[in-house]
Amino acid sequence: MAADYLDRLRREGRIVIVGASLAGLRAAETLRDEGFAGSLTLIGDEPYEPYDRPPLSKAVLLGKADPRHTELPRRREIDAKWRLGVPATALDMTAKRVRLADGDEVEYDRLLIATGVRARPWPKEPEAQLDGVFVLRTRDDAVGLHRRMKAGPRRVFVIGAGFTGSEIASACRDQGIPVTVAERAGAPLAGALGGVIGAVAADMHRENGVDLRTGVMVTALEGDTVGRVRAVHLSDGSVVEADVVVVSLGATRNTEWLTGSGLGAGPRGIACDAGCRAFDFRGIVTDDIFVAGDVARSPHALFGYQFLSLEHWGNAIAQAETAAHNMISPSSDRRPHLWVPAFWSSQFGVNIKSVGVPPMGEELMITQGSLAERRFVGVYGYQGRIIAAVSFDNTRWLEFYERMIETGAPFPVEFPTVDRRPEGRTPVSADFPDPSLPTHGPTVTLSGYSPADRQLVFTPARH
Amino acid sequence: MRLVVDLNKCQGYAQCAFLAPDVFAMHGEESLVYNPRAEEEQRERLARAVAACPVQAITADGLDGVGAAPSQPAGESSDGS
C-alpha cells in the first residue's frame, strides 16, 4: 500500500540529490527536518561543499570576501554521503540508478535533480581559451578573476551588460580599474527590466566612468603570440585593447547528462508539475523524480500557468524546500511551489530589487520617487494587472507591490501614494527589446501557451 | 563562522553594520556587503547582529536565526574546514 511504502521510505529509503549547491543543501536539510531517516547522498560536480554564489560577483570582487570562503552555513546536521568532484553522467529511470563520471552507480528510491545552470561560454572555442578570458559562475572562476583584478589589469572588457556583467563593471570602477562594457541591446539590464529602466542603468555606468558601448556585438577576441588576450573587436569596427575579458552572456541549463534518459529535459530545463515532480518526455508526471532550482521549469498560477524557470537565489531555496517536503509526503499533504519571483542586484552603490516577472510587463509606471534621482519604484503592467515591480534604493516598498501582484491588482496603478511625481501618473511603454533578438540572456524564462491569451480554441473531434 | 544574508529579505536597516562593522558594511544607501566567513572573534557581535536584524535575514553557523541568545557560548560551530 502507498502509505506503507511511504513509511518505509521515510524510515529506510534511499534519497539521492544531484547538485550540491544552494538548492541541494536546503533540500537535504528539509528532508532531515521533516523526519527522513534513510540514506541521503549528495552528488556534486565541483570538489567543494555547497557554497553561495551571489557574493562572487559582489563582495568578492570588491575585496570584502575571499572567493574560497563562501560556503553556505548549515541550518542543521544532514548526515549525508557526499560524492563531490564527480559529475552525474546518466540516469536510468527504470533501474532507478544515477551513473557517475567515475563509473560508479548510485541507486535511489527518490531522486532530486538540482543541477542548475552554468555560464554560457564565449562561442569560439580557441578565443574562449585565451589566457585572461573568464566567465563568472563558479568559485574557481571567481578565484581566477579576483586574482587578475588584484594584479591591476590595464583594462577589463565585459561582454554583456546583464546583472552579472554590470556588477563586474561596478566592482572594477570601485577599484579604479578601467573597464569597457559591450551590450547588444540598447542599454544595460534591458532584457531583464526594459529600456526605460535600462537608460537609468546606462547613466549609472557612464557616471561611474564605465566605457559603455550599446547596440554592438563583440565579433572576435584577439590573442598575442603567447596566447594571452590583448584586444576585443566589435561589430562597429572598433577595437578595444584589454588584458582581461569577462564573458557575461547568461547561462545554460545543465541537462545534457539526462539525454536519452526519457525525462522531459532539454535546453530550457526540466519540466515539472507545481509539486516539483518531473515530467517524462511524454508529458507524464513521474512520482519518484523531483526537480528544484535553476534547472526546473514549472507552471505558475500567477503567470497564466505558463512554465516558469527562474535563476533566482530565493527560488532555489523555496523550490528545494517544497520538493523535499513533497518527496516524503502523501499526495494529500503535498504543497505547490508558487513562490513570487524576486531577485536583487547591487551595483555602483545602488540596491536594485525586483518582484514578479518584469519581462512579462508591457507598460511601466514610476509610482514612487523619480528616475532622475535614481531612487524609485517602477511598476509593470500586463493586460490590465500588476505583474512586477522594480526598486532602485527603495526596497521597503516591494513587499507592498508583492501583495498587489499576488492579488492581481489592476494596472494602471490608481491609488494615491506617497512620493508619486507627475512623471509617474501615466503608464509608458516598458520598452523591452524584441525577444527574438536575444540580449545577454534573461534570468527568467516563461515558456508555453498561456490560457489567459485565448488565442487558440481547442475543438475535440466527435465520434 | 559561515554566514549568509537573504538579500530578498534585507531592507537595508543597517543594524548589522552598526553591531558588527567588521562583517557587514553598507555600499551606498541601501546595499549590504558582507564577509561570508566571519572571524571567530566576531562571534558575539555577529550573534547580536543576527538577533537585531528586523527582518531576520541573517543565517550563521551555530547561531540559529530567530532569537539567538546574544551571549551564546563559542565552540558550537560545525565549521569543519
Side-chain angles (χ1 to χ4, degrees):
Chain A
M1 253 178 66
D4 290 344
Y5 176 78
L6 208 58
D7 252 9
R8 210 171 62 237
L9 176 78
R10 294 175 67 97
R11 256 195 343 267
E12 57 195 46
R14 299 161 300 179
I15 292 183
V16 172
I17 298 174
V18 185
S21 191
L22 181 63
L25 177 65
R26 294 301 181 233
E29 290 168 343
T30 305
L31 286 167
R32 292 299 190 207
D33 252 356
E34 298 199 5
F36 173 67
S39 86
L40 189 55
T41 306
L42 272 96
I43 298 165
D45 60 344
E46 291 181 72
Y48 313 115
E49 56 178 302
Y51 61 87
D52 204 29
R53 295 185 202 279
L56 299 181
S57 59
K58 303 174 187 77
V60 164
L61 295 186
L62 292 170
K64 306 259 185 203
D66 187 317
R68 292 161 303 178
H69 290 156
T70 70
E71 294 98 340
L72 288 158
R74 303 290 174 82
R75 290 175 174 172
R76 54 163 297 131
E77 287 295 317
I78 55 171
D79 185 24
K81 275 178 259 173
W82 294 89
R83 301 293 308 263
L84 297 176
V86 191
T89 52
L91 167 67
D92 183 337
M93 287 170 64
T94 315
K96 295 193 170 194
R97 273 200 297 255
V98 174
R99 188 169 310 131
L100 307 184
D102 62 6
D104 259 9
E105 296 193 335
V106 188
E107 294 189 328
Y108 63 83
D109 298 303
R110 290 262 198 276
L111 172 68
L112 178 67
I113 301 174
T115 41
V117 301
R118 63 181 183 278
R120 180 175 290 126
W122 182 243
K124 297 179 194 168
E125 212 173 305
E127 296 180 7
Q129 282 166 358
L130 288 170
D131 182 43
V133 177
F134 293 90
V135 293
L136 181 52
R137 174 78 193 167
T138 67
R139 172 175 145 175
D140 289 347
D141 296 337
V143 167
L145 180 58
H146 183 235
R147 189 180 301 137
R148 287 302 171 94
M149 280 181 55
K150 272 202 307 197
R154 280 179 296 126
R155 177 170 294 275
V156 173
F157 194 105
V158 180
I159 308 175
F163 287 107
T164 307
S166 298
E167 287 168 7
I168 294 165
S170 163
C172 287
R173 292 310 303 146
D174 217 72
Q175 283 155 97
I177 301 168
V179 58
T180 300
V181 176
E183 165 60 46
R184 173 148 59 173
L189 313 182
L193 299 174
V196 177
I197 307 296
V200 180
D203 285 346
M204 272 161 46
H205 278 249
R206 293 198 166 109
E207 274 175 33
N208 284 279
V210 175
D211 170 29
L212 175 69
R213 318 274 182 106
T214 56
V216 292
M217 289 192 297
V218 171
T219 52
L221 306 180
E222 181 191 328
D224 64 13
T225 49
V226 291
R228 288 176 306 205
V229 71
R230 58 173 293 252
V232 178
H233 294 251
L234 298 168
S235 57
D236 62 4
S238 56
V239 180
V240 178
E241 285 188 22
D243 41 1
V244 174
V245 173
V246 191
V247 180
S248 299
L249 293 173
T252 305
R253 292 180 161 75
N254 292 319
T255 55
E256 291 83 353
W257 68 285
L258 296 163
T259 304
S261 67
L263 208 63
R268 283 177 157 176
I270 304 167
C272 63
D273 73 0
C276 309
R277 295 182 298 179
F279 288 129
D280 73 9
F281 74 99
R282 299 163 298 184
I284 298 174
V285 75
T286 60
D287 204 38
D288 47 9
I289 303 177
F290 291 71
V291 200
D294 296 6
V295 79
R297 45 191 291 261
S298 63
H300 200 303
L302 276 181
F303 309 102
Y305 292 96
Q306 288 185 90
F307 281 82
L308 187 64
S309 54
L310 300 166
E311 295 169 28
H312 294 170
W313 190 91
N315 183 65
I317 295 175
Q319 200 165 20
E321 289 172 348
T322 302
H325 168 85
N326 290 348
M327 285 173 95
I328 54 169
S329 298
S331 57
S332 53
D333 281 350
R334 285 181 179 155
R335 307 194 294 246
H337 171 63
L338 293 176
W339 190 73
V340 179
F343 74 83
W344 71 84
S345 172
S346 164
Q347 44 188 277
F348 306 106
V350 174
N351 190 25
I352 302 176
K353 285 181 148 189
S354 136
V355 290
V357 179
M360 212 171 156
E362 292 156 344
E363 293 182 300
L364 176 72
M365 288 176 82
I366 304 304
T367 55
Q368 263 85 35
S370 83
L371 297 173
E373 289 164 22
R374 234 168 271 161
R375 192 179 172 100
F376 62 87
V377 176
V379 177
Y380 296 83
Y382 171 71
Q383 294 189 349
R385 54 176 275 229
I386 296 175
I387 203 80
V390 63
S391 72
F392 276 44
D393 273 351
N394 229 324
T395 183
R396 274 166 238 182
W397 275 101
L398 278 196
E399 204 179 314
F400 172 77
Y401 288 104
E402 188 177 328
R403 297 289 99 75
M404 309 208 71
I405 296 163
E406 284 170 353
T407 52
F411 185 94
V413 184
E414 279 166 8
F415 53 84
T417 66
V418 296
D419 202 21
R420 174 96 74 109
R421 314 286 173 82
E423 64 174 304
R425 296 215 174 107
T426 44
V428 295
S429 162
D431 190 24
F432 280 97
D434 180 348
S436 67
L437 301 170
T439 58
H440 41 77
T443 58
V444 179
T445 310
L446 267 165
S447 49
Y449 163 67
S450 167
D453 286 344
R454 293 189 180 277
Q455 288 163 345
L456 280 173
V457 179
F458 175 64
T459 314
R462 301 196 185 276
H463 294 284
Chain B
M1 281 174 302
R2 305 162 179 190
L3 70 119
V4 66
V5 179
D6 182 341
L7 292 173
N8 279 323
K9 283 188 188 164
C10 174
Q11 303 209 337
Y13 288 101
Q15 296 298 305
C16 56
F18 285 117
L19 290 165
D22 291 332
V23 182
F24 304 97
M26 301 311 290
H27 187 232
E29 298 278 316
E30 269 192 10
S31 294
L32 179 70
V33 287
Y34 61 96
N35 181 357
R37 176 72 74 93
E39 302 292 333
E40 193 55 42
E41 60 259 31
Q42 296 290 328
R43 172 169 289 273
E44 193 156 325
R45 285 192 203 104
L46 180 54
R48 286 203 195 104
V50 168
C53 175
V55 290
Q56 289 153 10
I58 310 167
T59 306
D61 260 344
L63 302 170
D64 209 2
V66 192
S71 58
Q72 190 168 351
E76 281 284 323
S77 172
S78 59
D79 182 350
S81 56

